[in-house]
């Protein structure tokens, strides 16, 4: 059985849930974690995917909003709606560590995709999440790798 680490859903930039299922079926992928992306924040499409095919999709949200109060409210709404956690950038972990408390309180998943230094600048914060919230998970997207190969 193949389980896809994660894929972006959301129109118009990414595929629809139906298209994702067709691709998954052709590739014999049984399950996938799905999330929107900041440039295509189709939360409704991701919610539709994991509520209509819960045996195939696990949905993650993203932090959206103009300020901390709005972001906290939007994240809380996503978690109440059944999103399993959030896809975060390394910058989100570094600059908004309180997001991890929301994920931890929900026993959720933090899928963190690194920046130029991988997850080095957020490693302590992620470790705190795992120590303080034993039901929470932290996953390093893209192998938690840096986006700038010069780091090597």
């Amino acid at each position: 059985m193949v389980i896809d680490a994660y894929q972006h859903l959301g129109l118009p930039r990414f595929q629809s849930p139906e298209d994702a299922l067709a691709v998954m079926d052709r590739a014999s992928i049984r399950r996938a974690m799905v999330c929107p992306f900041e440039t295509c924040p189709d939360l409704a499409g991701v919610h539709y995917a994991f509520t209509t095919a819960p045996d195939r999709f696990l949905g993650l949200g993203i932090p959206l909003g103009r300020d901390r109060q709005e972001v906290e409210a939007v994240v809380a709404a996503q978690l109440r709606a059944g999103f399993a956690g959030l896809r975060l950038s390394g910058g989100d972990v570094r600059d908004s560590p309180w997001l991890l408390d929301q994920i931890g309180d929900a026993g959720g998943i933090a899928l963190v995709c690194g920046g130029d230094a991988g997850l080095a600048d957020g490693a302590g914060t992620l470790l705190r999440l795992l120590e303080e919230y034993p039901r929470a998970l932290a996953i390093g997207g893209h192998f938690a790798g840096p986006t700038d190969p010069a780091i090597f």
Side-chain angles (χ1 to χ4, degrees):
M1 170 176 31
V2 176
I3 299 175
D4 194 359
Y6 89 99
Q7 59 182 276
H8 294 291
L9 286 185
L11 298 174
R13 183 173 180 191
F14 300 106
Q15 58 190 340
S16 70
E18 294 81 11
D19 290 338
L21 284 172
V23 170
M24 290 167 61
D25 288 344
R26 284 194 305 273
S28 299
I29 297 171
R30 303 263 309 142
R31 297 197 63 170
M33 226 172 8
V34 293
C35 62
F37 193 71
E38 291 80 6
T39 59
C40 186
D42 186 1
L43 291 169
V46 172
H47 187 264
Y48 173 80
F50 72 78
T51 56
T52 59
D55 57 323
R56 304 292 303 274
F57 293 123
L58 180 71
L60 299 177
I62 54 174
L64 296 170
R66 292 181 298 257
D67 56 32
R68 179 175 173 166
Q69 183 178 358
E70 190 171 287
V71 172
E72 284 179 336
V74 170
V75 167
Q78 290 175 62
L79 295 170
R80 280 193 311 273
F83 286 80
L86 298 175
R87 180 199 182 275
L88 302 171
S89 68
D92 291 326
V93 172
R94 181 191 63 240
D95 300 336
S96 305
W98 44 267
L99 287 167
L100 296 173
D101 293 316
Q102 285 188 277
I103 293 167
D105 286 338
I109 299 167
L111 171 67
V112 186
C113 298
D116 289 343
L119 298 180
D121 56 355
T125 305
L126 291 169
L127 181 59
R128 182 189 63 78
L129 167 74
L130 297 174
E131 289 174 343
E132 292 183 19
Y133 301 98
R135 290 184 13 222
L137 295 173
I139 299 171
H142 309 288
F143 301 103
T147 54
D148 181 0
I151 194 170
F152 298 113

